[in-house]
Amino acid sequence: MDPQPILVVTTGGTIDKAYFDALSEYQIRESVIAKLLQIANVTLPFRVEESSRKDSLDMTDEDREQLRERIARAPETHVVVTHGTDTMTQSAEVLQSISGKTIVLTGALAPARFAESDAPFNLGMAFGVAQSAAPGVYIAMNGQVFRAGEVRKDRAQGRFVPI
Amino acid sequence: MDPQPILVVTTGGTIDKAYFDALSEYQIRESVIAKLLQIANVTLPFRVEESSRKDSLDMTDEDREQLRERIARAPETHVVVTHGTDTMTQSAEVLQSISGKTIVLTGALAPARFAESDAPFNLGMAFGVAQSAAPGVYIAMNGQVFRAGEVRKDRAQGRFVPI
Amino acid sequence: MDPQPILVVTTGGTIDKAYFDALSEYQIRESVIAKLLQIANVTLPFRVEESSRKDSLDMTDEDREQLRERIARAPETHVVVTHGTDTMTQSAEVLQSISGKTIVLTGALAPARFAESDAPFNLGMAFGVAQSAAPGVYIAMNGQVFRAGEVRKDRAQGRFVPI
Amino acid sequence: MDPQPILVVTTGGTIDKAYFDALSEYQIRESVIAKLLQIANVTLPFRVEESSRKDSLDMTDEDREQLRERIARAPETHVVVTHGTDTMTQSAEVLQSISGKTIVLTGALAPARFAESDAPFNLGMAFGVAQSAAPGVYIAMNGQVFRAGEVRKDRAQGRFVPI
């Protein structure tokens, strides 16, 4: 339980969606993660890096490889990744080739900018798992911690379930 | 990472403070924990029990003993305790006599009813640690996971620090 | 300043937009107006009716005529209309044929479900104008009260301005 | 309906209450009014002045006289006053000696910092009345506009009612 610094990598997804009246549409914009961590009074050292900024359905193999390299070469061994929910499990599997790090993917079913969103709870859960779990890749969603490769998103029900 | 059910025990504290205009004062009322877990879309089985409902400065040895017994005899091995921050470390030490359970205490520096509160992040962090850490007693505050006995509240700065 | 009951007519628009993860998109759903009025502790008698539920760019002449008839035949003389911002001024002009009623149109540039939205302020402004202004049709947006026919939306800047 | 600038005078009260963990208590601090007006996208010219910063039960005759003078000598003819609810009606009566200005008092039953507060709605209502009503002194609370001298706070029920 040494206070190891945490690297937070943002990739886009619903958690960072905003609404633009001029376009009457939703877009992913500058991450709200730093704001959420400030509201949570986080004093543990952390660093936020943006790896991509898109819907996870639009993430390419190149995006995933770039994410993998960014995490592999970072000095931190405790990593939180914010990610769109639709391909979160796919990215988790790509990250399994990294050894010696505890990597936790999380996101949100409702944008963090909503008054009622799962974003702050999920980000907190990821911070807890990143500090407590053995090295490996995890997904923290719906109040539950899953190992990469043992979880899928039930799109119809809008939730993550074990496989 | 089996989906073990979580027992959430509420004891009062700032996290559950509300404001009553008729009295022009702050009081601890019915817990908001269930509401926070609903907003977080938690599908992991959980159960919420109220052990006490007071400022943690007003908690007595009897309150702590009752809390200890409630957790010890519960069927769940994963436990989250919401607690006032002023004597959270003291209660954590009392709970160390319980073996074979992962117990995580958390709370908030701002009431959960505030638009900006550390409550949802902290509750999420506790859910993550309860599922990931070895049996023992932990405190999850300020984005950091501490072992019971290795943390104190720095009241002047309003944050938890290692000792 | 008799406590005249207020009729609130909802027509859709950004104020009532929600986000649906399963579709990764924004949609207009059941109105949040009743919830906003409850949070505001409104004790003045009011009634909420849905006239349409769409983007204001999709409103047809029939939708506007239906809105006009609904308001004309209602017993209330104080009326608030929630409306999408893109064609709010157009609907306001259609409603000018109704005499003897104070009708106030308002809406929001950010969905009411956002933590930071102009929706509650705007709805409050409309309630204030409906009770205070002479019969006629008004638009209440950006903290300002405009007469129908004397206002346009500056789409690039996302605000209402006098003409 | 010329866009007359609005003077907002803050006096303290529940609307501006914050919570301080270090003291485990509620205090009135720097006003949130400017933040509320920014969230509401107010483009009408306005100016915010602090006249006092206390519970309205602690307001003295001197505080009320100072408030009256501040408003009387201000260049603006449209004035919004944020005020604690317990003596709002009393201050309203003192302000009735000012002629030629539309003065609207409002406040909140729950602090503006709460996720669910009547503050933004009430402030919007006051802005609407300040621009629409004839010169005089008004109270805008509970979705209703009252004339000074014709309203009292029903403390038990936590709402304003006609007398």
Side-chain angles (χ1 to χ4, degrees), chain B residues 7 14 22 31 37-39 65 72 76 78 91 101 108 128 131 140 151 153 159 162:
Chain B
L7 169 65
T14 292
S31 180
L37 295 175
Q38 177 227 314
I39 292 172
E65 180 52 27
E76 293 89 351
H78 295 173
S91 293
K101 302 202 174 201
Q131 292 171 71
V151 56
K153 180 179 176 189
R159 59 155 91 169

PDB file of all heavy atoms in Angstrom, chain B residues 7 14 22 31 37-39 65 72 76 78 91 101 108 128 131 140 151 153 159 162:
ATOM      1  N   LEU B   7     -21.508  -6.124   1.714  1.00  0.00           N
ATOM      2  CA  LEU B   7     -22.314  -5.533   2.777  1.00  0.00           C
ATOM      3  C   LEU B   7     -21.847  -4.096   2.968  1.00  0.00           C
ATOM      4  O   LEU B   7     -20.657  -3.848   3.150  1.00  0.00           O
ATOM      5  CB  LEU B   7     -22.116  -6.316   4.085  1.00  0.00           C
ATOM      6  CG  LEU B   7     -22.701  -5.648   5.343  1.00  0.00           C
ATOM      7  CD1 LEU B   7     -24.223  -5.556   5.271  1.00  0.00           C
ATOM      8  CD2 LEU B   7     -22.261  -6.394   6.601  1.00  0.00           C
ATOM      9  N   THR B  14     -20.411  13.003   7.747  1.00  0.00           N
ATOM     10  CA  THR B  14     -20.661  14.080   6.784  1.00  0.00           C
ATOM     11  C   THR B  14     -21.295  13.577   5.500  1.00  0.00           C
ATOM     12  O   THR B  14     -22.147  14.235   4.902  1.00  0.00           O
ATOM     13  CB  THR B  14     -19.331  14.802   6.450  1.00  0.00           C
ATOM     14  OG1 THR B  14     -18.897  15.497   7.612  1.00  0.00           O
ATOM     15  CG2 THR B  14     -19.495  15.784   5.309  1.00  0.00           C
ATOM     16  N   ALA B  22     -35.957  24.512   8.284  1.00  0.00           N
ATOM     17  CA  ALA B  22     -36.798  24.866   9.428  1.00  0.00           C
ATOM     18  C   ALA B  22     -35.945  25.075  10.681  1.00  0.00           C
ATOM     19  O   ALA B  22     -36.305  25.810  11.575  1.00  0.00           O
ATOM     20  CB  ALA B  22     -37.851  23.795   9.681  1.00  0.00           C
ATOM     21  N   SER B  31     -29.734   7.475   4.976  1.00  0.00           N
ATOM     22  CA  SER B  31     -28.530   7.398   4.154  1.00  0.00           C
ATOM     23  C   SER B  31     -28.815   7.570   2.667  1.00  0.00           C
ATOM     24  O   SER B  31     -29.809   7.093   2.132  1.00  0.00           O
ATOM     25  CB  SER B  31     -27.853   6.062   4.383  1.00  0.00           C
ATOM     26  OG  SER B  31     -26.683   5.999   3.593  1.00  0.00           O
ATOM     27  N   LEU B  37     -25.541   4.201  -5.165  1.00  0.00           N
ATOM     28  CA  LEU B  37     -25.279   2.912  -5.826  1.00  0.00           C
ATOM     29  C   LEU B  37     -26.204   2.714  -7.027  1.00  0.00           C
ATOM     30  O   LEU B  37     -25.831   2.063  -8.010  1.00  0.00           O
ATOM     31  CB  LEU B  37     -25.421   1.768  -4.821  1.00  0.00           C
ATOM     32  CG  LEU B  37     -24.378   1.797  -3.692  1.00  0.00           C
ATOM     33  CD1 LEU B  37     -24.667   0.706  -2.671  1.00  0.00           C
ATOM     34  CD2 LEU B  37     -22.961   1.647  -4.242  1.00  0.00           C
ATOM     35  N   GLN B  38     -27.400   3.278  -6.944  1.00  0.00           N
ATOM     36  CA  GLN B  38     -28.331   3.191  -8.073  1.00  0.00           C
ATOM     37  C   GLN B  38     -27.828   4.056  -9.235  1.00  0.00           C
ATOM     38  O   GLN B  38     -27.831   3.616 -10.394  1.00  0.00           O
ATOM     39  CB  GLN B  38     -29.721   3.634  -7.608  1.00  0.00           C
ATOM     40  CG  GLN B  38     -30.770   3.658  -8.706  1.00  0.00           C
ATOM     41  CD  GLN B  38     -31.568   4.948  -8.685  1.00  0.00           C
ATOM     42  OE1 GLN B  38     -32.006   5.390  -7.622  1.00  0.00           O
ATOM     43  NE2 GLN B  38     -31.736   5.560  -9.843  1.00  0.00           N
ATOM     44  N   ILE B  39     -27.383   5.277  -8.932  1.00  0.00           N
ATOM     45  CA  ILE B  39     -26.834   6.155  -9.977  1.00  0.00           C
ATOM     46  C   ILE B  39     -25.607   5.505 -10.624  1.00  0.00           C
ATOM     47  O   ILE B  39     -25.365   5.660 -11.816  1.00  0.00           O
ATOM     48  CB  ILE B  39     -26.473   7.541  -9.378  1.00  0.00           C
ATOM     49  CG1 ILE B  39     -27.739   8.284  -8.969  1.00  0.00           C
ATOM     50  CG2 ILE B  39     -25.660   8.379 -10.363  1.00  0.00           C
ATOM     51  CD1 ILE B  39     -27.493   9.568  -8.203  1.00  0.00           C
ATOM     52  N   GLU B  65     -18.381  -1.145  19.183  1.00  0.00           N
ATOM     53  CA  GLU B  65     -18.501  -2.580  19.468  1.00  0.00           C
ATOM     54  C   GLU B  65     -19.685  -3.162  18.687  1.00  0.00           C
ATOM     55  O   GLU B  65     -19.614  -4.261  18.139  1.00  0.00           O
ATOM     56  CB  GLU B  65     -18.679  -2.809  20.971  1.00  0.00           C
ATOM     57  CG  GLU B  65     -18.813  -4.264  21.368  1.00  0.00           C
ATOM     58  CD  GLU B  65     -17.695  -5.152  20.825  1.00  0.00           C
ATOM     59  OE1 GLU B  65     -16.577  -4.643  20.580  1.00  0.00           O
ATOM     60  OE2 GLU B  65     -17.954  -6.363  20.610  1.00  0.00           O
ATOM     61  N   ALA B  72     -18.862  -8.795  12.057  1.00  0.00           N
ATOM     62  CA  ALA B  72     -18.315 -10.134  12.347  1.00  0.00           C
ATOM     63  C   ALA B  72     -19.342 -11.234  12.080  1.00  0.00           C
ATOM     64  O   ALA B  72     -19.017 -12.294  11.531  1.00  0.00           O
ATOM     65  CB  ALA B  72     -17.830 -10.196  13.801  1.00  0.00           C
ATOM     66  N   GLU B  76     -21.468 -11.838   4.702  1.00  0.00           N
ATOM     67  CA  GLU B  76     -20.576 -11.303   3.668  1.00  0.00           C
ATOM     68  C   GLU B  76     -19.126 -11.235   4.159  1.00  0.00           C
ATOM     69  O   GLU B  76     -18.875 -10.898   5.312  1.00  0.00           O
ATOM     70  CB  GLU B  76     -21.023  -9.898   3.236  1.00  0.00           C
ATOM     71  CG  GLU B  76     -22.345  -9.845   2.506  1.00  0.00           C
ATOM     72  CD  GLU B  76     -23.527  -9.674   3.470  1.00  0.00           C
ATOM     73  OE1 GLU B  76     -23.336  -9.773   4.710  1.00  0.00           O
ATOM     74  OE2 GLU B  76     -24.651  -9.430   2.989  1.00  0.00           O
ATOM     75  N   HIS B  78     -16.976  -9.356   2.173  1.00  0.00           N
ATOM     76  CA  HIS B  78     -16.545  -8.079   1.602  1.00  0.00           C
ATOM     77  C   HIS B  78     -17.434  -6.981   2.172  1.00  0.00           C
ATOM     78  O   HIS B  78     -18.655  -7.000   1.951  1.00  0.00           O
ATOM     79  CB  HIS B  78     -16.664  -8.100   0.075  1.00  0.00           C
ATOM     80  CG  HIS B  78     -15.739  -9.088  -0.591  1.00  0.00           C
ATOM     81  ND1 HIS B  78     -15.778  -9.365  -1.939  1.00  0.00           N
ATOM     82  CD2 HIS B  78     -14.741  -9.842  -0.085  1.00  0.00           C
ATOM     83  CE1 HIS B  78     -14.849 -10.259  -2.229  1.00  0.00           C
ATOM     84  NE2 HIS B  78     -14.213 -10.570  -1.126  1.00  0.00           N
ATOM     85  N   SER B  91     -12.189   3.727  14.507  1.00  0.00           N
ATOM     86  CA  SER B  91     -13.080   2.589  14.249  1.00  0.00           C
ATOM     87  C   SER B  91     -12.354   1.520  13.443  1.00  0.00           C
ATOM     88  O   SER B  91     -12.549   0.318  13.666  1.00  0.00           O
ATOM     89  CB  SER B  91     -14.334   3.049  13.483  1.00  0.00           C
ATOM     90  OG  SER B  91     -15.119   3.894  14.297  1.00  0.00           O
ATOM     91  N   LYS B 101     -11.993 -11.212   6.570  1.00  0.00           N
ATOM     92  CA  LYS B 101     -12.867 -10.310   5.802  1.00  0.00           C
ATOM     93  C   LYS B 101     -12.068  -9.114   5.295  1.00  0.00           C
ATOM     94  O   LYS B 101     -11.131  -8.660   5.949  1.00  0.00           O
ATOM     95  CB  LYS B 101     -14.024  -9.798   6.673  1.00  0.00           C
ATOM     96  CG  LYS B 101     -14.887 -10.918   7.261  1.00  0.00           C
ATOM     97  CD  LYS B 101     -16.281 -10.439   7.645  1.00  0.00           C
ATOM     98  CE  LYS B 101     -17.125 -11.649   8.083  1.00  0.00           C
ATOM     99  NZ  LYS B 101     -18.555 -11.398   7.997  1.00  0.00           N
ATOM    100  N   ALA B 108     -16.790  11.057   3.442  1.00  0.00           N
ATOM    101  CA  ALA B 108     -16.690  12.188   2.521  1.00  0.00           C
ATOM    102  C   ALA B 108     -16.372  13.451   3.304  1.00  0.00           C
ATOM    103  O   ALA B 108     -16.737  13.586   4.470  1.00  0.00           O
ATOM    104  CB  ALA B 108     -17.991  12.367   1.743  1.00  0.00           C
ATOM    105  N   GLY B 128     -14.128  -1.021  -5.030  1.00  0.00           N
ATOM    106  CA  GLY B 128     -13.001  -1.616  -5.751  1.00  0.00           C
ATOM    107  C   GLY B 128     -12.040  -2.332  -4.815  1.00  0.00           C
ATOM    108  O   GLY B 128     -11.611  -3.460  -5.081  1.00  0.00           O
ATOM    109  N   GLN B 131     -13.226  -5.667  -3.216  1.00  0.00           N
ATOM    110  CA  GLN B 131     -13.189  -6.825  -4.109  1.00  0.00           C
ATOM    111  C   GLN B 131     -11.769  -7.256  -4.480  1.00  0.00           C
ATOM    112  O   GLN B 131     -11.563  -8.357  -4.991  1.00  0.00           O
ATOM    113  CB  GLN B 131     -13.955  -6.520  -5.406  1.00  0.00           C
ATOM    114  CG  GLN B 131     -15.454  -6.360  -5.196  1.00  0.00           C
ATOM    115  CD  GLN B 131     -16.165  -5.846  -6.444  1.00  0.00           C
ATOM    116  OE1 GLN B 131     -16.293  -6.556  -7.426  1.00  0.00           O
ATOM    117  NE2 GLN B 131     -16.603  -4.608  -6.399  1.00  0.00           N
ATOM    118  N   ALA B 140     -10.151   4.149   2.608  1.00  0.00           N
ATOM    119  CA  ALA B 140     -10.045   4.688   1.246  1.00  0.00           C
ATOM    120  C   ALA B 140     -10.551   6.120   1.246  1.00  0.00           C
ATOM    121  O   ALA B 140     -11.757   6.369   1.348  1.00  0.00           O
ATOM    122  CB  ALA B 140     -10.858   3.832   0.276  1.00  0.00           C
ATOM    123  N   VAL B 151      -2.521   5.352   9.121  1.00  0.00           N
ATOM    124  CA  VAL B 151      -3.103   6.563   8.547  1.00  0.00           C
ATOM    125  C   VAL B 151      -3.707   7.423   9.648  1.00  0.00           C
ATOM    126  O   VAL B 151      -4.171   6.921  10.670  1.00  0.00           O
ATOM    127  CB  VAL B 151      -4.192   6.171   7.511  1.00  0.00           C
ATOM    128  CG1 VAL B 151      -5.252   5.270   8.144  1.00  0.00           C
ATOM    129  CG2 VAL B 151      -4.836   7.400   6.876  1.00  0.00           C
ATOM    130  N   LYS B 153      -5.996  11.417  10.113  1.00  0.00           N
ATOM    131  CA  LYS B 153      -6.596  12.565   9.441  1.00  0.00           C
ATOM    132  C   LYS B 153      -5.862  13.824   9.864  1.00  0.00           C
ATOM    133  O   LYS B 153      -5.736  14.104  11.061  1.00  0.00           O
ATOM    134  CB  LYS B 153      -8.091  12.682   9.788  1.00  0.00           C
ATOM    135  CG  LYS B 153      -8.739  13.884   9.087  1.00  0.00           C
ATOM    136  CD  LYS B 153     -10.216  14.038   9.361  1.00  0.00           C
ATOM    137  CE  LYS B 153     -10.754  15.315   8.692  1.00  0.00           C
ATOM    138  NZ  LYS B 153     -12.143  15.624   9.089  1.00  0.00           N
ATOM    139  N   ARG B 159      -7.478  16.301   5.147  1.00  0.00           N
ATOM    140  CA  ARG B 159      -7.132  15.151   4.312  1.00  0.00           C
ATOM    141  C   ARG B 159      -6.454  14.041   5.127  1.00  0.00           C
ATOM    142  O   ARG B 159      -5.928  14.291   6.213  1.00  0.00           O
ATOM    143  CB  ARG B 159      -6.195  15.580   3.203  1.00  0.00           C
ATOM    144  CG  ARG B 159      -4.904  16.185   3.767  1.00  0.00           C
ATOM    145  CD  ARG B 159      -3.771  16.045   2.798  1.00  0.00           C
ATOM    146  NE  ARG B 159      -3.667  17.186   1.933  1.00  0.00           N
ATOM    147  CZ  ARG B 159      -2.618  17.387   1.141  1.00  0.00           C
ATOM    148  NH1 ARG B 159      -1.639  16.493   1.095  1.00  0.00           N
ATOM    149  NH2 ARG B 159      -2.543  18.462   0.406  1.00  0.00           N
ATOM    150  N   PRO B 162      -0.441   9.354   5.481  1.00  0.00           N
ATOM    151  CA  PRO B 162       0.181   8.179   6.098  1.00  0.00           C
ATOM    152  C   PRO B 162       0.868   8.563   7.409  1.00  0.00           C
ATOM    153  O   PRO B 162       1.288   9.709   7.565  1.00  0.00           O
ATOM    154  CB  PRO B 162       1.234   7.736   5.072  1.00  0.00           C
ATOM    155  CG  PRO B 162       1.073   8.613   3.871  1.00  0.00           C
ATOM    156  CD  PRO B 162       0.262   9.791   4.263  1.00  0.00           C
TER     157      PRO B 162
END
